[in-house]
Amino acid sequence: MSLEIRKSIDSDRSLINHIHEQAFGLENSREIITLINDLLQDQTAEPCCSLVAIQQSKIVGHILFSNVKIISDQGVISASILAPLAVIPAAQNQGIGGQLIHDGINQLKAMGVPVVFVLGYPEYYTRYGFEPAFPRGYIPPYPIVKAQSDAWMVNILDADLARKYQGKIHCADAFNHPEYWRE
Ligand SMILES: CC(C)(COP(=O)(O)OP(=O)(O)OC[C@H]1O[C@@H](n2cnc3c(N)ncnc32)[C@H](O)[C@@H]1OP(=O)(O)O)[C@@H](O)C(=O)NCCC(=O)NCCS
């Protein structure tokens, strides 16, 4: 089935909310929808990259990347974080999540973003170029319990900058709440 990935527009907003409701369930999606709507209005989250996947004229998936800063001994540079990602149950396991990640990462690379973080399922995101971030020297904004430390991952897009700039990550204001940092 053909798939189109494009940047989201304002009028997609309620359909995007619906994608997350279906993927995460009504209860769990509340927090996620709040995060999306807050990030899309937050200047400290810019540049954001919000993409939707369209199959048979219907939005079936959504991914959002927002800006973070790496505070390192060498100075401060901008990077990006992936959150959230959702594909409706009826369209899962067709590679749509992977395509959203792939296209988003390519757009960020073209913008010169050196690294992209995610806090998520290690078995899933390592398929798409992510690796554990702690061994690379990246510290998340909030502590992550040791048993879940592999969930804190990074995708290296510029190896030289990634080597030079390591340290603590500062996320956008909208993301800077401990409840968003539990895996
Ligand atoms: C996770 C999610 C985005 C994957 O979307 P998708 O379009 O089905 O993903 P893809 O088709 O690219 O990949 C499917 C593969 O990933 C695997 N996979 C899906 N969720 C996984 C998970 N949580 N952990 C490990 N592997 C997972 C599937 O089993 C499938 O494996 P296979 O190719 O060996 O059959 C989708 O299942 C979803 O929206 N889930 C609910 C919301 C969610 O958990 N979002 C991620 C938050 S970190």
Side-chain angles (χ1 to χ4, degrees):
M1 236 182 288
S2 76
L3 183 74
E4 181 200 348
I5 308 267
R6 65 154 169 80
K7 285 196 169 144
S8 72
I9 51 177
D10 282 349
S11 58
D12 294 331
R13 203 67 79 80
S14 63
L15 292 170
I16 288 174
N17 293 349
H18 195 51
I19 297 296
H20 292 277
E21 282 171 5
Q22 288 182 69
F24 287 97
L26 262 189
E27 182 63 33
N28 292 337
S29 62
R30 279 203 199 104
E31 193 172 271
I32 288 155
I33 290 169
T34 302
L35 173 64
I36 295 168
N37 290 310
D38 288 352
L39 280 171
L40 290 175
Q41 292 175 47
D42 180 354
Q43 286 189 353
T44 68
E46 289 175 11
C48 275
C49 174
S50 174
L51 303 179
V52 288
I54 298 167
Q55 208 176 43
Q56 295 181 313
S57 314
K58 240 184 81 188
I59 294 182
V60 294
H62 175 244
I63 194 166
L64 180 60
F65 300 85
S66 57
N67 189 259
V68 296
K69 303 246 179 280
I70 304 173
I71 316 294
S72 85
D73 293 343
Q74 308 296 319
V76 178
I77 58 164
S78 287
S80 192
I81 187 163
L82 186 177
L85 164 65
V87 173
I88 59 166
Q92 287 176 5
N93 297 316
Q94 298 173 30
I96 296 173
Q99 197 63 48
L100 281 164
I101 297 171
H102 180 262
D103 284 27
I105 295 279
N106 277 348
Q107 291 196 17
L108 295 171
K109 201 169 184 175
M111 288 158 62
V113 171
V115 297
V116 181
F117 297 96
V118 72
L119 180 66
Y121 308 121
E123 302 81 14
Y124 184 68
Y125 287 102
T126 49
R127 291 172 176 230
Y128 301 110
F130 286 85
E131 59 182 281
F134 281 110
R136 288 275 194 171
Y138 298 115
I139 314 299
Y142 289 90
I144 289 163
V145 294
K146 199 153 187 212
Q148 291 173 350
S149 61
D150 279 357
W152 173 236
M153 288 172 277
V154 64
N155 196 324
I156 308 285
L157 310 185
D158 182 323
D160 290 339
L161 285 177
R163 249 190 310 275
K164 189 166 171 199
Y165 293 92
Q166 298 166 358
K168 180 109 189 240
I169 310 313
H170 279 219
C171 54
D173 294 343
F175 215 148
N176 201 14
H177 302 283
E179 61 268 28
Y180 294 135
W181 291 89
R182 293 187 303 257
E183 175 32 31

